[in-house]
Structure formats: structure tokens, C-alpha cells
Amino acid sequence: MYLHKAGNNGVTESKIEVMVSNLLDNCNVKHLKYEASEAFGIYTCKCKCMTDDNISILPGMDFDGYCNRLGKDSRREALRIDSEMIYKMMIVDYLIANPDRHGMNWGFFYNCDTMEILGCHPLYDHNNAFDIEYMRDPDVRYLYDESRSMEDWAKYAMSEVDFHFYREFVREDFMTDRQYKEFMRRAKTIGVRVEQSLVSSVF
């Protein structure tokens, strides 16, 4: 089963989704793979459904509500459950200037029978990446946790987790010169290195 998605801004958002998916193919982070497609005569991006009869998704917004009800710090609990993916999410969002990491754009897998939380689901929904205002302002607050800027969270996350590229990025990986230059500037700012590997993190 596939989900087809068309953006609100013509075909641009769908193309950005595919581009970011390809960028993340070159990073050691689990992510949902988006491909260019067509539905009802318009350009879309598509991805496979990542749930089944056994595995479902707990959205971050619902997780926050659950933690609040129990008097727990939801951000601390998320790190306890899967710090690797939470930190990598922070790094990715900074690199791609993503303004859209709200409570329905991150979350966890859980076992449908036991209700056990299994860890974060792969990253997805990056059609709003490379936002002009977010690229312009490195000190913009991070939507996931507004206690710090996106840059500060990314720098901290880099000290807590191994995040790297499998090869050097080139201009052809991006839709625009500005996206390429800003991505590479940010990667240099937080010290992302290249470490060649044959391991894929695509979901």
C-alpha cells in the first residue's frame, strides 16, 4: 500500500519531499523513502505504508498528552526511549531548515498486541524543508523543543550521537544553489563528517 501526496504549493512540495528523501539516503538515519510519482494526472510523491496489523504509530502529540497526564517530562521520556533517533532528528531538521516538526510529524512505533513502545518510527514528512525564513535565521527556535534554537540543539545532538554522511554531497543533489550552499554551511557548522559505508538506513 502506498500513500500519494501532492503539495499545497503546486509540485514544489512533492519535489522537495523526494529531494530530502534522497539526501537522507546519504545519512545514517532511518527515514521513509519517498519517490516521484503521478496520481490523477498530477505530479506527486509516494511512500510505502509503514504500519501493518502488528505495528502501529503513536504520534508525538499523543505521547506528549500521555506524559502530561502522568506528570512526566515528555522530552526526557522520548530520549529515554530512543535517544539516538531523537538526536538524529534534531540534526536532520537543522540541516534541512525544517520548520514543520510538530507533534504529528514525529512519534513512535508500538506493538498492537502488547502496546509496547518499540522506538521512534523513521523520519518522514519533509515537504516544507529549506524554508526561506528558517534558512535565513540560524537562531530560530526549534519547534520540537523551543527551549533552544535549531542550531544549538543540532550542536548538542552531534555530541551525543554518531551522525555522518556516506559520501560528499554535490550541487546536483539539490534543487537550488541556495539549498546546497546552506545545507553544506550548516553541515560544516556542526561538524558532520563523511564516513563511507554500504549500510542503508532507508525504511
Side-chain angles (χ1 to χ4, degrees), residues 8-190:
N8 295 322
N9 184 20
V11 301
T12 301
E13 288 185 18
S14 294
K15 288 185 176 181
I16 289 175
E17 191 81 81
V18 173
M19 177 186 69
V20 172
S21 177
N22 291 335
L23 296 179
L24 297 184
D25 287 348
N26 190 34
C27 305
N28 65 326
V29 60
K30 294 178 182 178
H31 63 283
L32 196 58
K33 179 65 178 176
Y34 289 87
E35 301 172 294
S37 187
E38 183 178 297
F40 304 106
I42 62 174
Y43 180 97
T44 67
C45 58
K46 70 175 185 179
C47 62
K48 288 183 179 179
C49 178
M50 62 180 183
T51 60
D52 54 33
D53 291 341
N54 301 310
I55 303 297
S56 191
I57 286 176
L58 171 65
M61 182 171 64
D62 294 339
F63 178 75
D64 286 345
Y66 169 77
C67 289
N68 289 339
R69 182 65 180 266
L70 296 180
K72 295 183 177 182
D73 183 320
S74 62
R75 295 298 174 261
R76 186 174 298 172
E77 282 296 299
L79 288 172
R80 182 186 64 79
I81 293 169
D82 194 346
S83 62
E84 179 179 357
M85 274 298 293
I86 295 295
Y87 286 134
K88 287 183 177 182
M89 179 179 74
M90 293 175 173
I91 295 165
V92 167
D93 285 342
Y94 171 69
L95 290 174
I96 65 173
N98 179 27
D100 202 31
R101 192 65 70 188
H102 56 73
M104 295 300 289
N105 279 352
W106 70 275
F108 303 95
F109 278 143
Y110 71 88
N111 184 298
C112 296
D113 293 325
T114 67
M115 304 300 290
E116 176 189 5
I117 295 179
L118 304 174
C120 290
H121 60 62
L123 298 182
Y124 64 49
D125 201 353
H126 302 117
N127 57 297
N128 291 306
F130 295 100
D131 179 84
I132 297 299
E133 293 301 321
Y134 273 57
M135 285 195 289
R136 184 179 293 126
D137 182 8
D139 292 324
V140 66
R141 293 287 161 171
Y142 185 28
L143 184 59
Y144 171 78
D145 187 332
E146 295 184 294
S147 65
R148 300 189 190 187
S149 70
M150 294 186 79
E151 185 173 298
D152 286 343
W153 271 123
K155 287 178 177 178
Y156 178 76
M158 282 293 295
S159 71
E160 296 295 316
V161 73
D162 171 32
F163 182 91
H164 58 265
F165 304 147
Y166 296 139
R167 62 166 175 81
E168 295 283 357
F169 282 101
V170 295
R171 167 62 182 84
E172 289 71 24
D173 293 319
F174 299 80
M175 292 168 57
T176 70
D177 287 339
R178 183 171 188 173
Q179 291 167 351
Y180 170 60
K181 291 176 181 179
E182 185 62 18
F183 182 95
M184 297 308 296
R185 184 194 70 77
R186 290 175 178 232
K188 182 177 180 180
T189 296
I190 62 175

